[in-house]
Structure formats: structure tokens, C-alpha cells
Amino acid sequence: MTAAALPVVLACIEQVVPLEFDVGPETRLLELPELDSLAIVDLIAAAEEALGVELPAERIVPASLASPRALAEAFEAR
Amino acid sequence: MTARSVAARSYAALLPCVEANLELLLRHAGVANVLTVLGGACALEAEPPDRLELRPVPLERWIRRQTGLELRRTTVDGDALLAHLRDVLTGDTPALVFADAFSVPWNPYAGHEHHQHAFVVDAWDASGERLHVVDAYTNATRYGRAVPSERWVAARELLASLAPPPGRCLEVAQLAGVPRGAADPPVAIVRENVGAHERNRARGAGAERLAGHVGDAPYGERLRWLSLATWLAARSRALHALWWRESAELPGSGAVAAFGDEVVAPTWEAAQTSVYLASRRVEAGRDCPPHARQSLVEAAAAEREWFARMRTWLDRGAGL
């Protein structure tokens, strides 16, 4: 199911933090200076809305924000 | 004083708003050891729900000790503010005007949230109608970015915004005196910081207290305060780590400096992100992510280890 969530997460990243380079599934999100705490709030909200599911509170951890793939997996591990 | 001079060699990105503008006053006064004045003192005394001290002594007393300068505060009735500023800006001494960020037109929080703010005024224009304002506050907020800026503002309009009738008061402050060069030696500063850290921990008012304050639902107010407290602590630790790095006269201090840079500052920054995220989730009616508390536990552990390393460094003769 990650294959379904991943493109949505990638699109949300583009929407929330316009970057001058392509973000891939393994891009280290927390190392992007543009992805500050404000942007993380917006990114999770945007992905929740696009995917139609709420990210469970216990999955809001740094590991879930390590990469777009990790975030997609956090949404799907239900 | 210009925006260019604000941006040049400033610590504003590591300071809260009032201190970022106080830095301008210190530099204008010719203070040489600005990093020690603003970033040398470091402690954490937490008394939730509303008290957080990040220095062993209050900042104004610390400034007096390190520079010989005194921050003289005057409370002025809103209507008298302009006359007061005409009096005090006749010399070459800029003034700090304290105000609620909610009513400061160029502040991102204007019209949104109430926070203590301060900005610098340093001149009147030839017409006597406009004031030159400099504001070094640097931050990304949910309402937009604050970046160092300067502007000429219509004085009466500004007063109407800052202190609308009936009769609200504003506080104005200026540095008085001539800065002296000698300050406390770095080893004495470290000794004072470590002593304060150990005392605060012993009485349960150290960083661990912040993690304990997360508590259980409902979280609202506690998380809002913790979000601010963690933001302040993250900036304070990043600045103090910089002080260690730049205090080249501290022999053998490299490992302490590196731990501050590589562990303490990033851990507090991660805690700030986590607590802010939790605060916004709870505000939106969602559950509180348990990691918010864990991130504060981790920040407290990093803090503990950092001060333990400082204690070891002192006990070994401070590298001498």
C-alpha cells in the first residue's frame, strides 16, 4: 500500500515546501532546512487530507519523518 | 543604525525578540563581548505553568556585571510617549520600546497572538513626525516570517496602534553608562552556570520538570507554554554552544563545545519541533503525540550530560 501513499506524500511535500530539486522516496526530510516545524505541521495536515486518514498520534515520531517513504509507511501501518 | 548593520554579525536568529533588539543597543554602545553578554550565562530553572529562567541571574543584572552598562527603564503613559522619545533621542542613544506583539504592525503576530515584544527607535526625521524603527526579531511563525528590518513610521499612527486609549502605558529603556572591557573570566562563568544547573536539578526545577509538565489530557495550555519554553531553550542552547565554540581562551574545552553543537542544540531543536507539532495537533482537536514528552526527556538527558562534562572540565582544572 506504500506505493499508493508515497506519490501522495511526495506531492504534498512539493506543495508545502517548494524546493529547487526533486525530492525522492529516500530524501532525508529532517535535513532539509526548509522543512521546519511549521512546514512539518502543514505537511502532515496536507497528507492527512489528501489520503483521507489521520496519522495516529503514536506514529508522529522523528522516524516517520525520516523520508517520504517512512512517512508513507507511517500512514499505512494501521 | 540600519537593517544592514542589523544583519551583519548578529545573533538575532538565536535570540528571542527582546534580546535580539537588546543586542542592537549593546553593539551601538560599543560593547565588545556581546556573545558573552547574551550567550555566556546558561541555566534552566523551570516552574511551570509560567516561569522559565535560562540564566543563573536575571539578564539586566548580568549585563551590568559584564559591561558596566545599566538598562534604565521608564514607564510612560501612551500620550506622553512621543514627548518622551523626543527627549531621549536627542543624543546618540537608541531606545528600546516594549510592546505587545499583537499591536506591533510589522510583527507577524500582529492581530493574532499576544507576546512581549520590543523594538528599537533611534531617530526622528526632519519633520518631527516620523520615527526610525529597527527590529531585529528573526523567526518563522505560522503567520509569516520575521526578519531584521528598518522603517520610518508615522509616530502618531504607531502610538495609536501600540497604546490605544484609554491610557495604556508603555515601557521605554536605554542603556546608560560607558562599557568597560573587563568581564567575568570564562571559567568563572562556567562555574556559575554549572552551580546553577546542579542547584536547579537538586530541587526538581531542571529541564526534567518540562517533560513532567506535559501531564495528561487536557493538554491545551500546558502544551502552548511548553512550546514557547522549548523554543526559548533551543535558542538559548544553540547560542551557548556557540559561546563555547568561540571562547577560544578555554583550553581543552573542545569536547564540551562539540557536545553542545552536535548533541545538545540539535536535541533541543528536535524537542521544539516535537512539542510544537503536539501543540498544533491538540489545538486542532487531535490526540497528543506521546513523543512530545519523550523528546523533552531526551533534551533533559542531553542537558544533564553537557553540564556533567562542564563539571568534569572544571574539576580537571579547566584545561589549565
Side-chain angles (χ1 to χ4, degrees):
Chain A
M1 192 173 164
T2 304
L6 186 55
V8 175
V9 167
L10 287 167
C12 289
I13 292 168
E14 263 189 49
Q15 173 195 327
V16 170
V17 280
L19 298 165
E20 290 178 359
F21 56 89
D22 290 336
V23 172
E26 311 304 336
T27 298
R28 296 162 76 94
L29 292 180
L30 293 175
E31 291 178 11
L32 299 177
E34 295 85 353
L35 202 74
D36 58 15
S37 50
L38 297 161
I40 290 171
V41 169
D42 292 343
L43 170 60
I44 293 175
E48 285 181 327
E49 188 177 342
L51 291 165
V53 293
E54 186 176 322
L55 186 60
E58 64 275 11
R59 291 207 195 104
I60 300 182
V61 294
S64 298
L65 295 160
S67 67
R69 186 185 303 284
L71 185 55
E73 287 172 354
F75 269 103
E76 292 173 336
R78 301 185 68 83
Chain B
M1 192 176 291
T2 66
R4 188 187 298 272
S5 68
V6 170
R9 195 72 179 93
S10 161
Y11 303 114
L14 300 178
L15 291 167
C17 56
V18 173
E19 292 176 25
N21 284 301
L22 188 52
E23 179 188 2
L24 300 183
L25 266 57
L26 292 166
R27 290 192 185 280
H28 188 272
V31 170
N33 55 333
V34 170
L35 181 56
T36 293
V37 175
L38 294 172
C42 184
L44 194 154
E45 184 182 7
E47 287 183 14
D50 56 11
R51 184 165 175 270
L52 178 75
E53 300 292 341
L54 292 165
R55 294 183 175 88
V57 295
L59 178 59
E60 290 175 32
R61 200 191 318 162
W62 180 256
I63 289 173
R64 208 159 46 236
R65 259 174 56 187
Q66 302 305 323
T67 70
L69 297 171
E70 187 173 348
L71 190 70
R72 289 198 182 142
R73 293 170 176 258
T74 310
T75 301
V76 190
D77 175 83
D79 291 335
L81 177 67
L82 299 186
H84 180 73
L85 290 178
R86 283 187 211 289
D87 287 344
V88 299
L89 294 181
T90 50
D92 183 33
T93 307
L96 204 56
V97 176
F98 291 85
D100 182 347
F102 187 92
S103 63
V104 176
W106 57 88
N107 191 296
Y109 288 114
H112 296 290
E113 292 183 18
H114 296 275
H115 296 287
Q116 187 192 40
H117 188 63
F119 55 86
V120 174
V121 291
D122 62 354
W124 288 91
D125 73 354
S127 73
E129 299 293 325
R130 296 194 311 158
L131 271 169
H132 188 244
V133 171
V134 184
D135 194 335
Y137 176 42
T138 305
N139 192 21
T141 80
R142 62 196 290 193
Y143 309 106
R145 285 189 175 274
V147 294
S149 62
E150 61 173 327
R151 54 186 43 81
W152 287 97
V153 296
R156 291 196 175 282
E157 287 176 23
L158 180 61
L159 176 61
S161 173
L162 297 182
R168 266 184 49 196
C169 292
L170 287 171
E171 200 168 26
V172 178
Q174 286 181 298
L175 284 174
V178 177
R180 53 172 162 70
D184 290 346
V187 172
I189 292 173
V190 175
R191 190 168 289 120
E192 186 168 358
N193 290 340
V194 172
H197 168 81
E198 291 169 351
R199 281 192 304 278
N200 291 335
R201 277 205 71 216
R203 65 183 197 84
E208 295 81 359
R209 183 86 180 268
L210 297 177
H213 188 56
V214 174
D216 300 315
Y219 298 98
E221 275 304 316
R222 272 175 283 133
L223 280 181
R224 261 194 291 279
W225 181 78
L226 279 168
S227 183
L228 174 62
T230 314
W231 180 83
L232 290 167
R235 286 202 166 194
S236 153
R237 273 45 193 164
L239 187 66
H240 191 60
L242 180 63
W243 178 78
W244 271 92
R245 193 165 70 238
E246 297 206 351
S247 294
E249 70 270 38
L250 296 177
S253 64
V256 180
F259 192 78
D261 266 341
E262 293 162 14
V263 178
V264 181
T267 305
W268 274 106
E269 193 180 336
Q272 185 263 318
T273 297
S274 184
V275 175
Y276 177 74
L277 190 53
S279 172
R280 293 286 302 274
R281 299 285 289 184
V282 167
E283 186 183 302
R286 306 286 182 80
D287 291 339
C288 178
H291 189 263
R293 189 194 322 255
Q294 180 57 29
S295 71
L296 288 169
V297 168
E298 289 166 9
E303 181 102 347
R304 217 161 41 239
E305 175 62 22
W306 199 23
F307 281 90
R309 289 177 183 221
M310 292 180 206
R311 165 57 71 197
T312 302
W313 178 76
L314 285 171
D315 290 347
R316 288 180 181 162
L320 300 174

